[in-house]
Amino acid sequence: MNYEQKNIIEEKYLSKLFYTKDNKNRHVGVEIEYSNLDLKKSAQLAQEIFKGEIVEKTKYEISLKDTDYGDFKFELDAQLLQKMQDDNLFEKLGNIIGKISNDLDNFVDKTSKNFVPFEIAMPPIPISDFGKVDKLVQKLRLNGALGTTYSFQYAFGVHLNIEPPSQDIDDVLKLFKSFLILQKWIEVQSEVDIARKISPFINNFSKEYISLVIDIEYWPTKEQFIKDYIDYNPTRNRVLDMLPIIAFWDEDIINKYLPKEKINKRPTFHYRLPNSKVDQFRWFISQELQLWVIVELLASNDEVFNQMSKSFLKQLDNAIFNKNEWIEKCHQCIINHLL
């Protein structure tokens, strides 16, 4: 693998994520939010790496089709734009930035650099080929793309759609549990930006739900897990969104209980935590994937997993959750037992 940057996690452990239990390639789909680089240029940069054919539907909706991995989408963040329209922000922003044309292109040209991110949605990429994603980030950076930390207004993120080793509920649930155990440590390592912490898009799970899931006796059927998840989390806005994989398992139940949620079913975790640091020269998306490696290492070590589950549940039972103490315990556990 030809990464721009290597470390011990990548060299020793990332390859453990390459294959499913039935020895097929595991994949990760990537979504990157950024600003200051138009979509057509972004598509051209991706084409240099992934080949394919550029198809321009509109100025703000472009595809790169027929690559070796599938189709890439380059678009304006339609969800945010729709919310701005629903909240009458077009008119409100007009009072700030001057008269706005009714033409959407003119509006976006004036406001996207400050308010509306562009997004690249990639098809599933084999984890063994993930270096190509880093190469695209490098090209975006060198052509002026800006990310989360460039401005306090940029609550931009990177989403990783991570394929589990199997679709068995116990395999999926054990990784979910491991992530919940390590989440606060991961947030520190990932340096989650304050603008994203206060945004509504990566809300934490409730203490009550975490306590339910972390319980060492909680190994429900897939049907029971789905029921519990929807009861506690009737929203996409979770730091590790499980609704896409639930929709993959049972789309009818999503349509029944969450008919207003726009959920793209996929056989993956939808990991929404990382910042988009696309303008920072020492950052690559593989670094965020390497933090997920720690989640998988914890899940694969039964003894340490059980110990940390019990310790975390005990910590949650305290009247006041000592976040710093728990982060330090996770750190020592990782150093002493997982790496």
Side-chain angles (χ1 to χ4, degrees):
M1 294 175 64
N2 228 356
Y3 284 40
E4 300 287 345
Q5 193 172 24
K6 287 187 178 294
N7 65 29
I8 186 172
I9 298 174
E10 180 182 315
E11 290 178 338
K12 289 183 66 177
Y13 301 111
L14 188 57
S15 61
K16 293 181 183 295
L17 276 65
F18 284 0
Y19 302 104
T20 63
K21 280 191 167 181
D22 54 2
N23 208 34
K24 295 180 180 178
N25 283 328
R26 284 178 71 183
H27 296 76
V28 176
V30 180
E31 302 164 29
I32 310 173
E33 296 175 342
Y34 60 98
S35 186
N36 202 50
L37 180 63
D38 70 74
L39 294 177
K40 187 171 184 179
K41 179 63 176 178
S42 301
Q44 290 169 344
L45 295 173
Q47 187 182 43
E48 293 174 7
I49 300 170
F50 297 100
K51 311 305 180 185
E53 178 186 0
I54 294 175
V55 178
E56 188 172 355
K57 185 175 180 180
T58 70
K59 184 177 180 180
Y60 297 108
E61 191 175 352
I62 298 172
S63 296
L64 179 62
K65 292 185 173 293
D66 300 325
T67 76
D68 289 341
Y69 306 110
D71 295 346
F72 289 64
K73 294 182 180 179
F74 304 78
E75 58 188 359
L76 190 70
D77 188 330
Q79 181 184 9
L80 181 55
L81 190 64
Q82 184 63 53
K83 180 173 175 54
M84 292 172 73
Q85 186 174 27
D86 292 344
D87 293 344
N88 200 29
L89 288 183
F90 287 3
E91 182 177 344
K92 294 175 183 177
L93 288 173
N95 296 327
I96 300 173
I97 64 175
K99 185 177 180 180
I100 300 175
S101 166
N102 290 328
D103 180 73
L104 179 60
D105 281 357
N106 290 340
F107 170 75
V108 172
D109 284 341
K110 289 185 178 182
T111 62
S112 64
K113 288 186 179 181
N114 294 319
F115 299 102
V116 183
F118 294 129
E119 180 180 89
I120 301 175
M122 303 184 195
I125 307 290
I127 297 176
S128 56
D129 291 349
F130 210 74
K132 294 182 180 180
V133 178
D134 281 344
K135 288 181 180 179
L136 177 56
V137 169
Q138 181 83 313
K139 285 181 177 288
L140 296 173
R141 175 163 46 239
L142 294 176
N143 281 271
L146 299 177
T148 316
T149 56
Y150 189 82
S151 168
F152 72 92
Q153 301 172 94
Y154 286 4
F156 300 166
V158 166
H159 299 175
L160 300 178
N161 298 299
I162 304 169
E163 180 184 9
S166 84
Q167 295 297 315
D168 293 344
I169 182 59
D170 285 356
D171 289 335
V172 171
L173 181 55
K174 198 168 188 184
L175 286 172
F176 185 47
K177 286 172 176 262
S178 296
F179 173 80
L180 293 176
I181 290 169
L182 295 174
Q183 179 184 339
K184 297 305 178 186
W185 178 85
I186 292 172
E187 288 176 359
V188 171
Q189 296 294 319
S190 198
E191 299 176 324
V192 181
D193 190 80
I194 186 63
R196 301 198 66 239
K197 287 182 178 180
I198 64 176
S199 76
F201 302 116
I202 56 169
N203 291 338
N204 287 319
F205 295 98
S206 68
K207 181 178 178 180
E208 292 75 18
Y209 181 66
I210 294 174
S211 296
L212 170 71
V213 173
I214 294 301
D215 191 310
I216 201 72
E217 302 297 327
Y218 185 75
W219 295 101
T221 63
K222 187 175 286 186
E223 292 73 19
Q224 185 63 47
F225 174 78
I226 291 171
K227 181 182 183 303
D228 292 340
Y229 188 91
I230 293 176
D231 283 347
Y232 281 91
N233 308 286
T235 175
R236 299 167 56 206
N237 298 331
R238 290 290 182 265
V239 65
L240 186 61
D241 177 15
M242 299 295 287
L243 291 178
I245 197 169
I246 289 174
F248 178 79
W249 291 338
D250 189 344
E251 190 171 16
D252 290 340
I253 200 167
I254 293 292
N255 293 333
K256 179 179 179 180
Y257 290 105
L258 301 172
K260 295 183 179 180
E261 289 284 353
K262 183 182 177 183
I263 299 166
N264 295 321
K265 65 177 182 179
R266 52 174 81 97
T268 67
F269 299 100
H270 187 51
Y271 176 43
R272 303 163 67 100
L273 181 67
N275 299 323
S276 173
K277 301 180 186 178
V278 66
D279 53 304
Q280 296 188 12
F281 276 80
R282 296 190 60 148
W283 178 81
F284 293 93
I285 295 180
S286 60
Q287 294 171 241
E288 306 296 344
L289 186 60
Q290 288 163 32
L291 292 175
W292 184 265
V293 172
I294 306 298
V295 173
E296 303 239 356
L297 291 177
L298 177 60
S300 67
N301 189 319
D302 288 339
E303 181 179 356
V304 177
F305 172 83
N306 289 333
Q307 290 173 355
M308 290 295 285
S309 297
K310 292 175 183 176
S311 296
F312 189 39
L313 192 59
K314 183 178 179 180
Q315 181 72 265
L316 288 171
D317 284 340
N318 292 338
I320 298 177
F321 179 77
N322 190 325
K323 183 175 75 171
N324 292 334
E325 180 181 297
W326 182 249
I327 290 170
E328 178 60 26
K329 184 173 183 64
C330 289
H331 193 74
Q332 292 304 317
C333 171
I334 291 162
I335 291 172
N336 295 332
H337 302 295
L338 298 181
L339 296 180

